Amino acid sequence: MAVLLYGKPVVEEIERRLMPEIDELKARHGTTPSLVVVQVGDDPASTRYVGRKIQSCERLGMKAQHVLLRSDIGPAALRNEVARIGAGKDVHGVLVQLPLPRQIEDPDASGGADPIDKFDVLDAIPPEKDVDGIAAGSVAELYRARTRRLTFLPSTALAVKRLMDYYRIETRGKRAVVIGRNDITSKPIMLLLGGRICDASVTWLHRHVSQEIQAEALARADIVVTAVGRADYRITRDMLKPGVVFIDVATRVTESGKLVGDADFEPVSGIASAITPVPGGVGPITVAALMENTVRAARFAVGAGGLGYTFHQGPAQP
């Protein structure tokens, strides 16, 4: 059976490192790290995710604000509101909860007359407050992958890296497959694994890639990171080679109310060397990574923090 890559010990390690920094910001600089999460519409899944982020901030003694906007807001109005929030002196981090309504996510497909889309909205976040790491400046930094100069890594990519470091998962020279084209998960993870930070050889799979090519890539992969999350998509044991490391970023709720990922979990666990459970795997670490970035943003604001990330291997796991 595979080693289960639980998120809890990784979260605890991140939070142990953050607590002294938060205390120092309060005692020495009179500053409490502050995060604003902007949500458009009241989608239940998004509301649940936002709640977890707010709760994590409060548990760590940080400030958090949830701004809920109507679902029919126009792209320009949303962009302006995000810019207004980002200009607040007491706001250190701004996150726009995705997905956004279709008229903003993809105005061309939805027939929207306004050319402004979600990327324009995200780019309205000040670079020093882009704690989810997905605006234009952060994307360019990830592309260059100068670890010592990075401002923000995207939260999910950072979570995957922290997970791999903690469980001592070797990436250099390995064959990796990243599945999906999500802007906040798959794309940043592909750049993380294939770039200077992880030095893997990466194949990027998505719905426009033929089944033949997908099957060939999966059968050879040493590491699989998947973030599809559709009911009609499933990765089964016969698609993978023995010993694969399987990192399941996807989450969806079944008709019976069970939270699952992309893997056919029990059979895949029988062939993988390591696998993340869903729930309890990458998700909690992503929230902790967001907290890490928010503390970074607060340190930038008071001139107490430098650029760059330090990565290290954690304790060996049984």
Side-chain angles (χ1 to χ4, degrees):
M1 288 291 291
V3 172
L4 294 181
L5 306 176
Y6 288 110
K8 183 178 178 180
V10 188
V11 171
E12 291 173 346
E13 181 184 77
I14 293 172
E15 292 185 349
R16 276 196 298 270
R17 180 164 42 82
L18 292 182
M19 289 304 298
E21 296 184 21
I22 295 171
D23 291 342
E24 180 187 15
L25 283 164
K26 292 178 179 179
R28 189 171 181 182
H29 301 280
T31 295
T32 300
S34 172
L35 172 69
V36 177
V37 182
V38 179
Q39 180 184 352
V40 181
D42 57 355
D43 174 73
S46 291
T47 299
R48 183 171 62 250
Y49 297 145
V50 170
R52 291 174 184 168
K53 295 164 185 175
I54 300 295
Q55 289 170 8
S56 185
C57 280
E58 293 173 346
R59 183 168 50 80
L60 292 172
M62 297 162 55
K63 294 180 182 177
Q65 182 182 355
H66 180 194
V67 176
L68 181 61
L69 304 174
R70 67 183 192 276
S71 60
D72 62 347
I73 190 172
L78 176 59
R79 180 190 60 184
N80 293 341
E81 180 64 9
V82 168
R84 184 193 67 79
I85 292 169
K89 292 183 179 180
D90 294 332
V91 174
H92 300 121
V94 179
L95 181 150
V96 176
Q97 182 67 35
L98 300 179
L100 293 168
R102 193 161 181 253
Q103 76 270 14
I104 302 174
E105 282 277 351
D106 191 354
D108 293 332
S110 63
D114 197 326
I116 296 173
D117 62 17
K118 68 176 177 181
F119 296 110
D120 298 303
V121 171
L122 297 174
D123 289 348
I125 301 172
E128 71 278 8
K129 300 182 181 183
D130 178 29
V131 290
D132 215 20
I134 54 175
S138 298
V139 171
E141 287 188 346
L142 176 59
Y143 176 85
R144 291 181 172 182
R146 293 187 294 177
T147 308
R148 293 179 295 176
R149 301 277 295 275
L150 290 169
T151 304
F152 295 111
L153 273 174
S155 298
T156 304
L158 177 56
V160 168
K161 177 57 177 167
R162 296 293 187 211
L163 173 85
M164 293 189 299
D165 280 359
Y166 184 87
Y167 288 101
R168 298 187 177 182
I169 295 169
E170 180 61 46
T171 58
R172 179 169 295 167
K174 301 295 184 181
R175 290 192 182 99
V177 165
V178 176
I179 309 171
R181 292 200 298 183
N182 189 289
D183 295 301
I184 61 174
T185 54
S186 306
K187 287 182 182 179
I189 291 168
M190 186 269 296
L191 289 171
L192 173 87
L193 284 170
R196 295 184 180 92
I197 296 174
C198 291
D199 294 321
S201 173
V202 179
T203 300
W204 193 10
L205 303 179
H206 47 78
R207 62 191 177 92
H208 295 291
V209 177
S210 72
Q211 292 300 311
E212 180 182 357
I213 293 175
Q214 292 198 37
E216 180 181 351
L218 280 170
R220 301 177 65 191
D222 301 306
I223 301 169
V224 172
V225 183
T226 180
V228 178
R230 293 198 321 262
D232 62 344
Y233 186 82
R234 207 72 173 149
I235 298 177
T236 56
R237 176 185 175 123
D238 60 291
M239 300 165 71
L240 303 167
K241 79 173 188 178
V244 66
V245 173
F246 198 99
I247 300 176
D248 204 336
V249 182
T251 57
R252 67 177 180 87
V253 180
T254 66
E255 292 181 356
S256 63
K258 183 180 180 181
L259 189 65
V260 299
D262 286 339
D264 189 9
F265 185 78
E266 293 299 335
V268 170
S269 298
I271 196 173
S273 62
I275 187 171
T276 55
V278 178
V282 177
I285 311 174
T286 299
V287 176
L290 175 63
M291 300 301 104
E292 178 178 346
N293 280 348
T294 302
V295 173
R296 285 172 64 84
R299 293 179 67 88
F300 293 153
V302 300
L307 299 175
Y309 286 83
T310 300
F311 297 117
H312 64 279
Q313 290 189 335
Q317 300 301 300

